[in-house]
Amino acid sequence: MNIGVDAAALGMSNAVTAQTADVNSGYWNPAGLLKLEDKQLSLMHASYFANIAQYDYAAFAMPIDSKSAWGISLIRFGVDDILNTTQLIDSQGNIDYNRISLFSTADYAFTFSYARALPLEGFNYGVNAKVIRRIIGDFATSWGFGFDLGAQFETRDDWKFGLMLRDITTTYNTWTINEEAFEKIKNAVPGENQELPETTEITLPKAQLGISKKFEFHYDYTLVAATNLNMQFAQTNDLISTRAVSIDPAVGFEFGYIDLAFLRAGVGNFQQITQIDNTSKLSFQPNIGIGFKYKGIQVDYALTDLGNQSAALYSNIFSVKVDFSIFR
């Protein structure tokens, strides 16, 4: 749930909390769903770690009336066809390749989003209800539940402000361990995996504060400048780090031409990395992207972590968005 969705947003280093205004708002800030004028569908695919892991996303959203909207989305991040070699050696000490099996590990997130306009002009709010499902082959499974709360405000001179509170109630994942399968693997490495793992996983609340402004030039050209402050309420390796809160800033830009072609760039994920010699190095993640929109179909591409400046690996992200107004 921390990676992000939509190549257009990822190309701007996720600095979209304030101006998100389409089907993908269910992830970034559900208040943005109020800007929908018709039904929309979004799809995204990305490969991580040299195509070992697959990251997929699908979302649908539509307005209910002039003051409310709803949406649903599904995310899957998984690694398939993992070799299970814990039974490779039989009880006589012989290697038997027929004892190798395959399994998958995957995380799923299903989100239902609802947005509504407030009586105060320019203010919208939205709520997410999330169901988390995690599967590690036949070894363990878990269920989790959580809620997000988002808000947006737009001034008459096109300044936009956004606030996204993730996991506001703290998201809990409860694991069920297959003890029969655990018994088979606990002695695969002598002296390790002797006790059952913890069965409760907790995701603490986080906050994202965003500001954006759209500039128009000669009617044909536009520039969106946006920034995010991504906050965790714990001490981390973020650029600004205290015991009370840690802040990771992000900045993104989108240059558009007649609402047809888009060029994007952004930088974020600023981290203080401790080196082997105990010195500190500042890492960051620069992203770029392009997009094309014709009538109601938009195709976007993003290349994340350009130049390997951060600890994260670069990835190629593709997404497509369809506005159902093209069928009317």
Side-chain angles (χ1 to χ4, degrees):
M1 296 300 294
N2 289 327
I3 297 175
V5 301
D6 180 32
L10 292 167
M12 297 178 66
S13 291
N14 302 344
V16 296
T17 302
Q19 78 271 19
T20 180
D22 59 15
V23 60
N24 301 303
S25 299
Y27 178 92
W28 294 112
N29 187 340
L33 294 175
L34 261 298
K35 300 300 176 69
L36 287 172
E37 296 181 356
D38 208 323
K39 299 175 183 177
Q40 283 189 355
L41 173 70
S42 179
L43 301 171
M44 187 197 76
H45 173 75
S47 296
Y48 284 82
F49 312 117
N51 293 328
I52 294 176
Q54 305 302 317
Y55 182 45
D56 296 288
Y57 159 80
F60 172 83
M62 62 178 289
I64 299 173
D65 51 38
S66 61
K67 294 184 178 181
S68 59
W70 70 274
I72 55 174
S73 65
L74 177 66
I75 294 175
R76 181 187 187 270
F77 190 96
V79 180
D80 300 305
D81 296 331
I82 302 170
L83 295 176
N84 179 4
T85 60
T86 58
Q87 306 299 312
L88 176 61
I89 301 176
D90 63 23
S91 57
Q92 283 76 42
N94 301 313
I95 296 177
D96 184 356
Y97 290 103
N98 292 321
R99 294 165 63 90
I100 296 177
S101 58
L102 300 176
F103 71 96
S104 298
T105 176
D107 294 349
Y108 299 86
F110 175 82
T111 302
F112 175 81
S113 305
Y114 175 78
R116 189 165 183 82
L118 288 170
L120 186 60
E121 183 181 357
F123 270 103
N124 302 323
Y125 77 92
V127 179
N128 286 340
K130 301 182 294 188
V131 178
I132 311 297
R133 176 66 167 168
R134 306 185 71 185
I135 301 172
I136 306 177
D138 295 328
F139 307 110
T141 60
S142 80
W143 287 99
F145 304 91
F147 294 90
D148 304 329
L149 177 64
Q152 286 183 334
F153 173 67
E154 182 176 358
T155 66
R156 294 183 178 180
D157 54 353
D158 291 332
W159 281 96
K160 297 180 180 180
F161 302 85
L163 176 65
M164 178 65 166
L165 302 176
R166 297 187 180 275
D167 306 296
I168 55 174
T169 57
T170 302
T171 296
Y172 292 89
N173 267 74
T174 302
W175 285 90
T176 300
I177 310 297
N178 185 334
E179 296 191 26
E180 182 179 344
F182 180 78
E183 286 294 323
K184 295 179 181 179
I185 67 171
K186 75 175 186 178
N187 290 315
V189 179
E192 297 190 13
N193 300 322
Q194 300 301 302
E195 298 181 1
L196 288 172
E198 295 286 339
T199 57
T200 301
E201 199 170 17
I202 298 175
T203 303
L204 297 175
K206 293 182 287 290
Q208 295 171 316
L209 178 64
I211 303 173
S212 74
K213 169 73 171 175
K214 184 176 182 179
F215 304 91
E216 296 187 6
F217 307 96
H218 305 294
Y219 301 102
D220 290 338
Y221 303 95
T222 60
L223 175 66
V224 175
T227 184
N228 257 32
L229 295 179
N230 305 309
M231 294 171 278
Q232 300 184 63
F233 302 102
Q235 192 160 16
T236 68
N237 291 331
D238 288 339
L239 181 63
I240 302 171
S241 181
T242 68
R243 291 183 179 180
V245 62
S246 296
I247 302 176
D248 169 30
V251 178
F253 300 92
E254 179 187 75
F255 178 78
Y257 173 66
I258 60 172
D259 202 31
L260 175 67
F262 305 91
L263 177 64
R264 306 180 182 99
V267 60
N269 194 24
F270 292 90
Q271 300 287 303
Q272 298 284 356
I273 305 298
T274 302
Q275 306 296 298
I276 296 177
D277 59 0
N278 288 325
T279 60
S280 181
K281 174 187 175 183
L282 178 64
S283 72
F284 56 92
Q285 185 172 330
N287 299 345
I288 59 172
I290 57 173
F292 300 94
K293 182 167 69 173
Y294 180 70
K295 294 186 177 179
I297 299 177
Q298 181 170 332
V299 179
D300 296 295
Y301 164 79
L303 176 63
T304 65
D305 193 19
L306 179 69
N308 287 334
Q309 292 294 325
S310 78
L313 300 177
Y314 75 89
S315 296
N316 298 286
I317 316 291
F318 296 91
S319 68
V320 60
K321 182 175 65 178
V322 178
D323 194 305
F324 283 58
S325 61
I326 64 173
F327 303 112
R328 302 187 190 284

